[in-house]
Amino acid sequence: MVIIYIKMLKYNATIRIEPNPKCIRIRNKSCEAVTFLYNQTRTNRTHHQKTALALLLSLFLFSRLSLWKMVALERSLEAAMNARIIGSGSETMVLAHGFGGDQSVWDKVLPCLTKHYQVVLFDWTFSGAVKDPNLFDPLKYSSYDAFADDLIALLDELHLESSLVFVGHSMSGMIGCIASIKRPQLFNRLILVAASPRYINIDDYEGGFDDATIDGIISSIESDYENWTSNFALLVVDNSDPISVNNLAKCLKRMRHEFAVPLAKTVFRSDKRDILDKVTTPCTIIQTTNDIVVPGSVADYMHKKIKGKSTVEIVNTNGHFPQLTAHLEFLAVLAGVLGFEI
C-alpha cells in the first residue's frame, strides 16, 4: 500500500490518501473518510493506481480545497522557514524578526549572542527570504495565533521544548506572548523588542495611530509598494545609520506585494491587549527613546497588564530597530537581564 500525506496549512489538518487495488481513500483529522472506487486491470495495476490517484486527487483538491495552501510533509518546517541553530552554550535563545524583515536583522548582535547561547534563527513564511510562496496563506495568517502555532511546531521539530529565551521584535513580540500562553513551559523569558498589542488609539489607550492613518499606510502599500518600502525604512530606522536603512528597505522589497497588504492589515489592525493578563512568563520589554511605530506609553501599558513579572528597559536610539541602530546598547540590556558578559 502506498500512503501519501499532504499538509493542509489553513486548518492544520492532514489528508491521508491510501490507494489499494479497489479504492483510494482520502482522510483528514477532522472529517470522515471519502472513498473513491475505480476499475483496474490485472495487467497494469501500478499504472492504474498512479493515474487514478493523480486524477482523483486533482478533482478532490479543486472541488473541496481550492482555498487551502498545501506543502508536502516531507519538507520540514526547519527547511521551509530557513531555520538554523548556531553558537554554543547550555541555553537556547530564539530570535524572531518582525514585519517585512528576515533573520538578517539580527546580524549585528549574533557574534556576541552565539558566544553564550545556542541561537535559533528563522524566517517567517511571509519573508522574501522564504523561497516557496505557497507557504504563506493570507487567510490563515490573518491572526497572530497561526504564527504562534508555527513557532511552537518549529521548535518541537527542532526538539527544543522548554526553558528557552525568546527575543521577538515588533509583531513577533505578541506572537511570543501567545505561544507562551499556549505552551507555558516553552520559554523561561520573553524579550519583547518594540512590541505592541494594538497600534490604533482607542478610549484611554494610546497605540500611536488613528484609524485614518492606518488606512493611509495600507493604501500606500497597495498602490505603490516600491516607493512605500523606501519611505517606511527611512521612518523606522535611525537615518544616522544609512546602511541599516538600506538593508531594511531591501528586505521589504523582497517581500511579495501580495503578502505585504494582508499582513499589514493583520499587524496594524491587531488588538491583543486581552492576552497580556494571561502571560505568566517573565518579560523584559525593550523600548527605544523615540519610536514612530510604538510610543513609550505602550511599553508602560504592557508592563502594567502582563501578569508575569516584567520590566521596561530603554535603549537610547531613534527608530523601531534597536538591534540595528544601537546594537551595543541593546546587547548591554540583554546582558544585564540574562546575566552574560559582552
Side-chain angles (χ1 to χ4, degrees), residues 164-182:
L164 311 174
V165 175
F166 178 81
V167 183
H169 177 244
S170 198
M171 63 179 283
S172 286
M174 288 300 102
I175 294 169
C177 287
I178 295 169
S180 76
I181 297 168
K182 289 174 177 277

Side-chain angles (χ1 to χ4, degrees), residues 45-224:
R45 177 173 295 175
T46 301
H47 171 73
H48 278 280
Q49 283 183 328
K50 291 180 178 179
T51 302
L53 178 59
L55 290 173
L56 290 169
L57 177 57
S58 298
L59 175 64
F60 187 79
L61 293 178
F62 275 102
S63 63
R64 299 290 299 279
L65 309 171
S66 60
L67 297 178
W68 291 13
K69 298 292 183 180
M70 294 167 293
V71 60
L73 280 180
E74 287 78 9
R75 187 180 187 191
S76 67
L77 277 175
E78 179 182 359
M81 298 173 72
N82 303 325
R84 56 193 178 117
I85 302 176
I86 57 176
S88 57
S90 58
E91 294 183 87
T92 302
M93 176 181 287
V94 181
L95 301 180
H97 68 81
F99 174 88
D102 60 35
Q103 59 185 266
S104 69
V105 300
W106 305 108
D107 283 354
K108 286 187 177 181
V109 298
L110 271 182
C112 177
L113 294 178
T114 53
K115 293 178 182 178
H116 306 283
Y117 289 88
Q118 290 189 97
V119 178
V120 179
L121 295 153
F122 66 92
D123 299 309
W124 291 117
T125 53
F126 60 75
S127 169
V130 171
K131 302 303 181 185
D132 186 355
N134 293 317
L135 292 172
F136 185 79
D137 180 348
L139 186 58
K140 174 189 173 183
Y141 293 106
S142 61
S143 167
Y144 285 161
D145 287 80
F147 290 101
D149 290 340
D150 281 0
L151 175 62
I152 293 170
L154 174 63
L155 296 177
D156 283 348
E157 188 176 296
L158 295 172
H159 306 292
L160 302 169
E161 299 172 350
S162 64
S163 302
L164 311 174
V165 175
F166 178 81
V167 183
H169 177 244
S170 198
M171 63 179 283
S172 286
M174 288 300 102
I175 294 169
C177 287
I178 295 169
S180 76
I181 297 168
K182 289 174 177 277
R183 186 79 71 80
Q185 75 278 15
L186 189 57
F187 306 120
N188 61 28
R189 179 167 293 275
L190 300 174
I191 311 289
L192 311 177
V193 184
S196 175
R198 180 185 170 102
Y199 294 91
I200 300 176
N201 305 328
I202 185 172
D203 300 329
D204 59 349
Y205 173 82
E206 182 190 4
F209 301 90
D210 56 30
D211 283 302
T213 303
I214 294 298
D215 289 343
I217 291 172
I218 293 170
S219 177
S220 296
I221 296 172
E222 287 179 316
S223 62
D224 191 358

Side-chain angles (χ1 to χ4, degrees), residues 99 216-218 220-221 224-233 252-253 255 260 264 268:
F99 174 88
I217 291 172
I218 293 170
S220 296
I221 296 172
D224 191 358
Y225 184 61
E226 183 77 13
N227 188 51
W228 179 84
T229 57
S230 298
N231 291 335
F232 187 70
L252 288 165
K253 291 178 192 299
M255 182 170 63
F268 290 115

